[in-house]
Amino acid sequence: MRLITSLIPSQTGTGTAIASDKIDVAVVIDVLRATSVATVAMAAGATEIVTCREISDARSRALPGAVDPESTAPSLLCGERECRPIDGFQFGNSPAEYTPALVAGKRLILTTTNGTRAVEVASAADSIMLASFLNLSAVIDAIMDADTVHVVCAGTNGDVTGEDVMLAGAIIDRCQARLGSALELDDASAIAKAWWHARQPTPSPASLAAAFSETAGGRNLIRVGYEADLARCAAIDTVPVVPVRTRKSPTGFTAR
Amino acid sequence: MRLITSLIPSQTGTGTAIASDKIDVAVVIDVLRATSVATVAMAAGATEIVTCREISDARSRALPGAVDPESTAPSLLCGERECRPIDGFQFGNSPAEYTPALVAGKRLILTTTNGTRAVEVASAADSIMLASFLNLSAVIDAIMDADTVHVVCAGTNGDVTGEDVMLAGAIIDRCQARLGSALELDDASAIAKAWWHARQPTPSPASLAAAFSETAGGRNLIRVGYEADLARCAAIDTVPVVPVRTRKSPTGFTAR
């Protein structure tokens, strides 16, 4: 396996070891909180998650029949701006909101500040998977047979954020444990792995949540009153579901 | 001191802790080889180094009188494309070329693939300094009184390259050793520091050169026959000169 990492979405230079249309799997990471939310929502029974960059686009995609012409029910509007819920949307961007009672059997339209931009950068890949610490093991199982993997960290407003690079490092670490010298890494991947080892020599949900509280993304959440979400997004390996979108079926993410 | 790091020039998001026009010092890093070359050339007695992005721009800036109307001598053309010398230029991008006999008293016009792009990203700062492992201690001395420092890694063709992030980490490490808790870091800076510690627990010229041979920038140089330049750019703390350009005198870099 060849694995390359973008520490932020804008890192998409011609220097990459793999041409973007030759990537088997892109793994998109927005730990706090878009890809954690997507993981939880999918496990709670959402049938499909459609990501949009703009709020206006999300509203029109949520209308009955907009995504699926045969559907007469509106989709549920989900997302955030500056970490906060959006006026008129049914859901914000906290994993706590996405219970089976509220989302089972529903299609979700999700727009967030950083995560949906990362999905766009990843969209040339054969398939896109949404990764969080919650579904880490499931993601590793799902990518293990790929020849070329592109890990895309969403970052925070164009800057690197530590929690996304930690998960990138954890993914790389687990791939290396399984594949040994059959795993080829670019420099950004090696840097992410060093960061993961430095921050989490013995990973646990409690130590992860503590580390999140010191990152740019974590501090942003604490500032607007969502500190409890740090622990929710640190519950490592608790969800065996990966949201996946393929080039053959490019509308939304479904459970794998 | 507040210190932020761009691991690649395109990382210039609105999430940065410091507005770009509030930065006292930008430290530009292109270890292999533009900022190492600039350090060596300045120490060899070059009077000024003018950086240009395009080859055509470099040629016109080198004409007699183009930079300094009172100068009747042409400036020397220096730089590379794909690591190799440029047709008609007097110098390539190897530190070995820049001897006192050839450059003392001369103005140099330098255009390189990645380094000059990084200088442009840094150009809103009050002053820009060019850093290499060669002048590491001199750079630390020069930035120590700044309130806000922006470290900009040039990268390789838009991607992160390990040797630039190593030097960023070394700079951050030395600042922290001097300033302790008075140094405030963003996430990218903390990641660079972890990478530096992981790669160089006990730094030496030999271990640095060996580490360069495993980075994207180092492998590029080895591939085109410049392996000897790795050791030349790993000669840590051998040059007490920093090329500096200030907003008050924005044409070229001069020695500090």
Side-chain angles (χ1 to χ4, degrees):
Chain A
M1 180 193 293
R2 299 177 76 186
L3 192 152
I4 61 173
T5 298
S6 291
L7 301 177
I8 41 171
S10 66
Q11 180 205 330
T12 53
T14 56
T16 46
I18 314 171
S20 61
D21 61 349
K22 294 288 191 299
I23 290 169
D24 295 328
V25 181
V27 178
V28 171
I29 294 175
D30 186 0
V31 168
L32 298 176
R33 298 167 288 175
T35 55
S36 298
V37 158
T39 303
V40 167
M42 206 108 256
T47 54
E48 187 175 19
I49 299 173
V50 178
T51 57
C52 294
R53 187 139 176 206
E54 304 298 336
I55 292 172
S56 56
D57 190 30
R59 288 191 203 279
S60 56
R61 301 277 281 169
L63 298 174
V67 174
D68 172 6
E70 296 183 8
S71 166
T72 56
S75 303
L76 298 176
L77 281 162
C78 315
E80 56 74 34
R81 284 299 180 272
E82 296 177 353
C83 308
R84 296 192 172 87
I86 299 165
D87 274 353
F89 277 41
Q90 285 85 15
F91 293 86
N93 198 35
S94 170
E97 303 174 60
Y98 293 79
T99 62
L102 295 174
V103 302
K106 303 291 169 72
R107 175 181 289 112
L108 310 183
I109 314 292
L110 177 67
T111 176
T112 67
T113 310
N114 306 298
T116 48
R117 159 105 177 94
V119 169
E120 285 177 19
V121 166
S123 59
D126 280 346
S127 65
I128 306 175
M129 300 185 186
L130 304 183
S132 63
F133 279 103
L134 311 177
N135 67 355
L136 171 57
S137 288
V139 167
I140 299 298
D141 289 341
I143 68 177
M144 202 37 64
D145 292 333
D147 285 330
T148 52
V149 175
H150 183 190
V151 175
V152 183
C153 297
T156 293
N157 299 324
D159 277 334
V160 170
T161 187
E163 74 278 6
D164 289 349
V165 181
M166 284 171 59
L167 179 54
I171 290 170
I172 291 154
D173 199 46
R174 296 245 192 138
C175 286
Q176 208 158 41
R178 290 218 206 167
L179 296 170
S181 62
L183 180 67
E184 191 182 319
L185 300 179
D186 71 346
D187 287 10
S189 302
I191 289 166
K193 193 185 128 195
W195 172 241
W196 170 242
H197 285 179
R199 294 301 290 140
Q200 295 287 302
T202 52
S204 73
S207 68
L208 265 181
F212 292 170
S213 72
E214 296 172 358
T215 67
R219 287 194 306 268
N220 282 345
L221 282 182
I222 292 169
R223 190 162 51 237
V224 293
Y226 287 106
E227 184 163 3
D229 278 354
L230 303 190
R232 293 186 182 108
C233 297
I236 190 166
D237 279 334
T238 52
V239 180
V241 173
V242 183
V244 178
R245 195 179 91 182
T246 65
R247 204 186 281 163
K248 284 178 195 157
S249 169
T251 309
F253 290 86
T254 54
R256 172 191 160 128
Chain B
M1 181 192 293
R2 299 177 76 187
L3 192 152
I4 61 172
T5 298
S6 291
L7 301 176
I8 41 172
S10 66
Q11 182 205 328
T12 52
T14 56
T16 45
I18 313 172
S20 60
D21 61 349
K22 294 286 191 301
I23 291 169
D24 295 329
V25 181
V27 178
V28 171
I29 295 176
D30 186 0
V31 168
L32 298 176
R33 299 168 286 175
T35 55
S36 298
V37 158
T39 302
V40 168
M42 207 108 256
T47 53
E48 186 175 20
I49 301 173
V50 177
T51 58
C52 294
R53 186 137 177 205
E54 305 297 337
I55 292 172
S56 56
D57 190 31
R59 288 192 202 280
S60 56
R61 302 276 280 170
L63 297 174
V67 173
D68 172 6
E70 296 183 10
S71 167
T72 56
S75 304
L76 299 175
L77 281 161
C78 316
E80 55 74 33
R81 286 297 181 271
E82 298 178 350
C83 307
R84 295 192 173 86
I86 299 165
D87 273 354
F89 277 42
Q90 284 86 13
F91 293 87
N93 198 36
S94 169
E97 302 174 60
Y98 293 80
T99 61
L102 295 174
V103 303
K106 303 291 168 78
R107 175 182 287 114
L108 310 182
I109 313 290
L110 177 67
T111 176
T112 67
T113 311
N114 306 298
T116 47
R117 160 104 176 92
V119 170
E120 286 178 17
V121 166
S123 59
D126 280 345
S127 65
I128 306 176
M129 301 186 186
L130 304 182
S132 63
F133 280 102
L134 310 177
N135 66 355
L136 172 57
S137 287
V139 168
I140 300 298
D141 289 340
I143 68 176
M144 201 39 62
D145 293 332
D147 285 329
T148 53
V149 175
H150 184 190
V151 175
V152 183
C153 297
T156 293
N157 300 321
D159 278 335
V160 170
T161 187
E163 74 280 5
D164 288 349
V165 181
M166 283 170 59
L167 179 54
I171 290 170
I172 291 155
D173 200 45
R174 297 244 191 139
C175 287
Q176 207 157 43
R178 289 219 206 165
L179 297 171
S181 62
L183 180 67
E184 191 182 319
L185 301 178
D186 71 346
D187 287 10
S189 300
I191 289 167
K193 193 185 128 195
W195 171 241
W196 169 242
H197 285 179
R199 294 300 290 138
Q200 294 289 302
T202 52
S204 73
S207 69
L208 264 182
F212 292 169
S213 73
E214 296 172 359
T215 67
R219 287 195 306 268
N220 282 346
L221 281 182
I222 292 169
R223 189 163 49 236
V224 292
Y226 287 106
E227 183 162 5
D229 278 353
L230 303 191
R232 292 187 183 109
C233 297
I236 189 165
D237 279 332
T238 52
V239 181
V241 173
V242 183
V244 178
R245 195 179 90 183
T246 65
R247 204 186 282 165
K248 285 179 196 157
S249 170
T251 309
F253 291 85
T254 54
R256 176 196 157 121

